[in-house]
Amino acid sequence: MSNDATTAAEGTRRLTVGQALVRFLASQYSERDGVQQRLIAGAFGIFGHGNVAGVGQALLQNEVEPAAGEDRLKYYLARNEQGMVHAAVSYARTRNRLQAFACTASIGPGSTNMITGAALATIDRVPVLILPSDIFATRFPDPVLQQLEDPRSLDISVNDAFKPVSRFWDRINRPEQLIPSALAAMRVLTDPAETGAVTICLPQDVQAEAYDWPLELFRKRVWHVARPAPEPAALARAVAIIRAAKKPLLVAGGGVIYSDGSAALAAFADATGIPVADTQAGKGAISCEHPASVGGIGSTGNDAANALASDADVVIGVGTRYSDFTTASHTAFRNPDVRFVNLNLLAFDAAKNSAEMVVADARAGLEALTAALQGYRVVESYSQRVAGLVADWARVTEECFHRNAAPLPAQTEVLGALNELMGDDDIVINAAGSMPGDLQALWRARSPKQYHLEYGYSCMGYEIPAAMGAKMAAPDSEVVAIVGDGSYQMLPQEIATIVSENLKVIIVLLQNHGFASIGGLSESRGSQRFGTSYRMRDGESDRLDGGYVPLDLAANARSMGADVLEVATIEEFRDAYRKAAVSTRTTLIHIETDLYGPNPPASAWWDVPVSQSARLESTRQAHSEYLEHKKDQRHHL
Ligand SMILES: Cc1ncc(C[n+]2csc(CCOP(=O)(O)OP(=O)(O)O)c2C)c(N)n1
Ligand SMILES: [Mg+2]
C-alpha cells in the first residue's frame, strides 16, 4: 500500500527530494543487445547531518515501507567514502558499464572524500552516480558545520571541486530542478562515450523538502546503450590504409571488453592474421591462447609486443586512450612511416596520433572492418616473426614465474602461482605499485574479465574496495585483490564492509616494507630510493633509515574480521591459496617478498623528468641517460 501523501493535484505524488530521487533511481534500466538490467543496482553510503534525514530517510522508507510498485534500492554501509566509490566503479566495470551504483555522503569531508573516486571513474570512463550533500540552499544557518565560506560568493561550496572530475555536475537548489537533472544524469551514465562520474549535489535542506512530483517521473525508463556503427566513408579510409600494411599491429584497449567485443576481435585476428597487443585495460580482450595475441605493450609491456610496435607500419588502436604507458611516452612506435587507424566511440580518442578516425562501438567497428578487409592477410613471414617473438617471451615469463628466489620469494613467483591457480572466470584486481608493471608484462589472461587493472588513475587503495564491488557484480567468480603494503595502508577498511556483507574475497598482501615501484624509479632517476621504504626515524641520523616499522598488517586484517594465512614460501602460498579458495570466508594471505625484485626485464621507456641541475652525482648521471631516451620521443603528425 502506498504510504506517500497524496495530493489534490491528480497524477502527482508528494515526496521529498530524497524520496523522489530514490524512487526514480529504482525505476531506471539499461538495455544493450536486447538485455535489460537495473541501471542503478544499489546505493553505497555513509550518513552524517548532511544526508541522514534526507536521502537517508528516503532509503530507510524504501527499505521498510516502499510505496506500491516501488522497487528496492538496496543500501550498503561503507567505511570510507573514497572506498565506496572505488567499489561502485569496480562493480560497474565488472558489469561492462551497463549497471552502476549511487554513492551518498554527508556534506563537507564525507563528500570531498569521494573526489578521488570520482576522478578515477571519469579517467577510467566508468559510470558512477555521486550524490554529495551540500550546504543549505536557504543559507539560513550559514555557516553550517563543515561549510566552506568563500567571501567572494555565497554560491561556492566544497562540492564545486567535483566539477573538473565529473562528466555531469549539478546542484539541486529547488526540488523541481531534480527532474531535468536526474534525466540528464541517466543519459550520461549510459552513454559509453560520455560516461564517468555523474555528480548531483543535494543541499541538506532540499533533500528533505516536499514537492508534488508528476507520477510519470517514476515510470520504468529504459536507457538504450548504443552501438554506433562506423560511417562508410571513414571505414573505407581505414580499410585502404590497413590493406596497404605489411607489418600492422592492433592495440586492444578496455573499449573492446566493455563492448563485449572479444569474439569480434578474435574473428578479426583470425581473418587478417594481424597481431593483437593489449593495454592494461584491454588485457584479456583476446585470450592469451589465441595465436595472434602478443600481450602487453608499452612501458610495462613485453619484448614481443614492443618489438612489433617498434616496426609497425600501421597501428590499429581499438578502444584505447593511448596512455603514456601504452605509447612508452611516445617512443614505442618507431617506424618513420607509421600510420594510425583508431576505432573508438569517443572522437577525442579516435583522433589521437593523427589517426584515421573511425568513430564507432568497438564490436560494431571490428565486425565492419573484418567484413571490409575480406581477402587481406598479413604475409606468412610476418606471422612467423610474431610466433617467434611470442615464444621467446613465453620463456621469459616461465622464468619469472618460477625463479625460486631466496631467501625471499620474488613477487613474480606469487603472480605466477596466482596465474596458474586462478580459474578463467576468476578476477584478479590490482591498481598501483610495482605489480601493475609485472602483471602487464607477464599475466596470461584467458578471458575478458579475468584481469582487472585500474591503471588510468593507478590509485593506491583501490584494490580492496574494488574486490568488494567486483564480487557483488560477479558472485560466482573468485575475486582476488593483490595489494602492496603501501596500497594496503591507504585503504584497508572496506574489509570490514566485505565481512559485514558476508562476501567472500581473497586478498593477497605482498609485504616488502616500502615502495618497490617508486623505489626502483627513484634509483633509476638518480634519487637514491629516498623516502620510499617504511623505516623508523633513526635517533642518530635523524633520517628514515632505521629498522623496519614494526607493523603487523596480518593482525590488522584479522582485526577487521578476515581470516589470515601468513606464509613464507611459494609452496606455502600455493597451499594457502587452495585453502582460501575452498573457504567461504574472506581470507587475506600475507607473504613477504623481496623489495628488489627481480622484476621482468623492461623493454621500453617511461618519461619521468630528471632534475636538470644537481649537486648529486647520481642525479647528474640519471639526467644524461634521460636526455638519451628523450631523443626517441616523437609526435605522430
Ligand atoms: C593514492 C596514491 N598515492 C600515491 C601514488 C604514487 N605511488 C605509486 S606506487 C606507490 C608505492 C606503492 O607501494 P606498494 O603498494 O607497497 O607497492 P610496491 O611498489 O611495493 O609494489 C606510490 C606511492 C599512487 N599511485 N596513488
Ligand atoms: Mg610495497
Side-chain angles (χ1 to χ4, degrees):
M1 232 206 53
S2 166
N3 54 9
D4 304 339
T6 42
T7 55
E10 224 171 279
T12 63
R13 184 72 79 218
R14 191 160 182 81
L15 296 172
T16 67
V17 167
Q19 292 158 0
L21 177 61
V22 166
R23 186 153 175 189
F24 172 84
L25 294 178
S27 316
Q28 307 306 304
Y29 287 74
S30 68
E31 177 275 332
R32 192 174 70 179
D33 305 328
V35 182
Q36 272 186 27
Q37 51 270 307
R38 278 275 294 274
L39 172 57
I40 308 296
F44 285 109
I46 296 181
F47 296 131
H49 65 282
N51 58 344
V52 67
V55 170
Q57 190 280 342
L59 286 164
L60 162 73
Q61 191 166 292
N62 170 273
E63 188 165 304
V64 300
E65 241 182 276
E70 178 176 343
D71 285 325
R72 182 159 178 211
L73 192 71
K74 194 167 166 185
Y75 175 69
Y76 299 83
L77 167 58
R79 298 302 187 274
N80 174 293
E81 292 87 355
Q82 184 185 137
M84 77 190 180
V85 181
H86 291 336
V89 166
S90 172
Y91 182 96
R93 175 172 172 166
T94 307
R95 293 292 175 102
N96 276 343
R97 310 193 291 201
L98 299 170
Q99 291 189 282
F101 257 79
C103 295
T104 169
S106 190
I107 85 164
S111 287
T112 52
N113 268 356
M114 297 195 290
I115 293 175
T116 297
L120 182 151
T122 292
I123 288 164
D124 293 353
R125 319 250 168 97
V126 178
V128 60
L129 178 61
I130 306 272
L131 302 173
S133 298
D134 220 318
I135 55 174
F136 279 75
T138 62
R139 300 181 182 161
F140 235 119
D142 284 10
V144 63
L145 176 68
Q146 300 167 326
Q147 176 168 345
L148 170 82
E149 290 186 281
D150 189 327
R152 292 170 302 172
S153 164
L154 302 187
D155 190 43
I156 290 174
S157 88
V158 292
N159 290 339
D160 288 270
F162 280 95
K163 284 180 182 170
V165 296
S166 299
R167 299 307 305 269
F168 175 83
W169 184 99
D170 205 359
R171 181 183 280 133
I172 307 300
N173 282 312
R174 296 173 58 93
E176 58 269 49
Q177 289 175 342
L178 181 67
I179 297 173
S181 188
L183 293 169
M186 298 304 111
R187 185 193 65 73
V188 176
L189 284 172
T190 52
D191 180 338
E194 277 191 50
T195 200
V198 166
T199 302
I200 302 181
C201 307
L202 299 166
Q204 74 174 91
D205 51 349
V206 179
Q207 287 180 40
E209 212 174 315
Y211 180 76
D212 297 319
W213 306 93
L215 276 174
E216 268 281 280
L217 180 64
F218 307 119
R219 72 171 169 83
K220 175 176 172 181
R221 225 167 269 266
V222 182
W223 299 87
H224 302 283
V225 179
R227 286 193 182 279
E231 186 202 4
L235 185 71
R237 287 190 295 267
V239 165
I241 292 175
I242 299 171
R243 277 193 185 279
K246 302 265 179 297
K247 292 177 286 182
L249 175 68
L250 188 145
V251 179
V256 180
I257 295 177
Y258 292 134
S259 78
D260 203 7
S262 287
L265 177 58
F268 174 92
D270 287 339
T272 62
I274 295 178
V276 178
D278 44 46
T279 70
Q280 288 280 18
K283 189 178 287 297
I286 194 162
S287 165
C288 64
E289 276 148 14
H290 193 286
S293 166
V294 301
I297 188 174
S299 302
T300 52
N302 70 59
D303 291 351
N306 282 334
L308 294 168
S310 181
D311 291 353
D313 53 359
V314 173
V315 176
I316 307 162
V318 185
T320 176
R321 53 193 281 271
Y322 286 105
S323 81
D324 63 345
F325 267 78
T326 299
T327 66
S329 303
H330 287 277
T331 62
F333 306 110
R334 296 177 181 220
N335 184 326
D337 301 319
V338 63
R339 296 203 56 188
F340 291 79
V341 171
N342 291 340
L343 166 57
N344 207 295
L345 266 170
L346 200 61
F348 178 78
D349 284 329
K352 287 175 178 172
N353 300 330
S354 309
E356 200 59 66
M357 298 164 63
V358 182
V359 178
D361 168 72
R363 189 175 96 180
L366 281 165
E367 285 166 355
L369 277 176
T370 308
L373 281 166
Q374 227 180 26
Y376 170 83
R377 199 173 165 84
V378 298
V379 295
E380 186 52 30
S381 58
Y382 187 57
S383 297
Q384 278 168 9
R385 169 147 199 259
V386 170
L389 288 166
V390 168
D392 289 346
W393 187 255
R395 277 190 288 278
V396 177
T397 301
E398 278 308 295
E399 255 171 57
C400 291
F401 279 176
H402 302 104
R403 281 193 183 282
N404 297 320
L408 291 174
Q411 76 183 18
T412 58
E413 297 174 68
V414 178
L415 306 182
L418 284 172
N419 206 170
E420 286 159 21
L421 289 164
M422 288 176 62
D424 290 7
D425 295 323
D426 297 342
I427 299 172
V428 66
I429 297 179
N430 186 245
S434 59
M435 281 172 293
D438 291 8
L439 286 163
Q440 163 73 341
L442 303 175
W443 189 271
R444 298 173 56 77
R446 297 178 298 261
S447 77
K449 283 294 171 198
Q450 193 189 37
Y451 186 83
H452 181 135
L453 255 284
E454 191 288 292
Y455 215 61
Y457 212 36
S458 185
C459 186
M460 288 169 76
Y462 176 80
E463 294 93 347
I464 292 172
M468 171 164 71
K471 187 69 186 182
M472 288 163 66
D476 298 332
S477 299
E478 197 75 78
V479 175
V480 182
I482 325 180
V483 57
D485 54 316
S487 198
Y488 181 89
Q489 288 175 67
M490 284 262 176
L491 211 60
Q493 57 276 61
E494 296 315 320
I495 292 176
T497 312
I498 292 169
V499 169
S500 68
E501 290 293 339
N502 304 306
L503 293 168
K504 183 269 172 103
V505 303
I506 299 175
I507 302 165
V508 176
L509 169 57
L510 273 66
Q511 169 61 284
N512 57 18
H513 306 281
F515 309 164
S517 49
I518 306 300
L521 181 66
S522 169
E523 188 172 348
S524 72
R525 300 309 194 270
S527 291
Q528 306 179 12
R529 294 186 175 258
F530 175 64
T532 61
S533 66
Y534 293 120
R535 290 183 175 268
M536 300 294 294
R537 184 167 298 282
D538 183 80
E540 273 187 20
S541 69
D542 196 26
R543 300 189 65 202
L544 293 174
D545 57 6
Y548 289 145
V549 181
L551 205 63
D552 189 344
L553 298 181
N556 178 279
R558 215 174 266 126
S559 77
M560 285 186 277
D563 286 347
V564 175
L565 300 169
E566 291 179 76
V567 302
T569 66
I570 291 299
E571 270 326 296
E572 286 172 12
F573 177 79
R574 286 176 185 274
D575 283 347
Y577 183 86
R578 288 189 195 98
K579 271 193 203 122
V582 294
S583 169
T584 56
R585 290 169 47 79
T586 285
T587 305
L588 179 139
I589 308 175
H590 180 287
I591 183 164
E592 185 149 346
T593 50
D594 195 330
L595 184 71
Y596 301 101
N599 302 85
S603 59
W605 183 62
W606 186 35
D607 191 346
V608 177
V610 179
S611 299
Q612 295 182 344
S613 152
R615 282 193 302 281
L616 299 174
E617 173 54 28
S618 62
T619 311
R620 285 203 300 270
Q621 170 69 26
H623 186 248
S624 53
E625 284 166 25
Y626 177 75
L627 292 179
E628 277 307 302
H629 284 291
K630 278 292 274 187
K631 290 182 188 155
D632 294 331
Q633 211 166 31
R634 60 181 289 208
H635 288 292
H636 297 290
L637 301 173

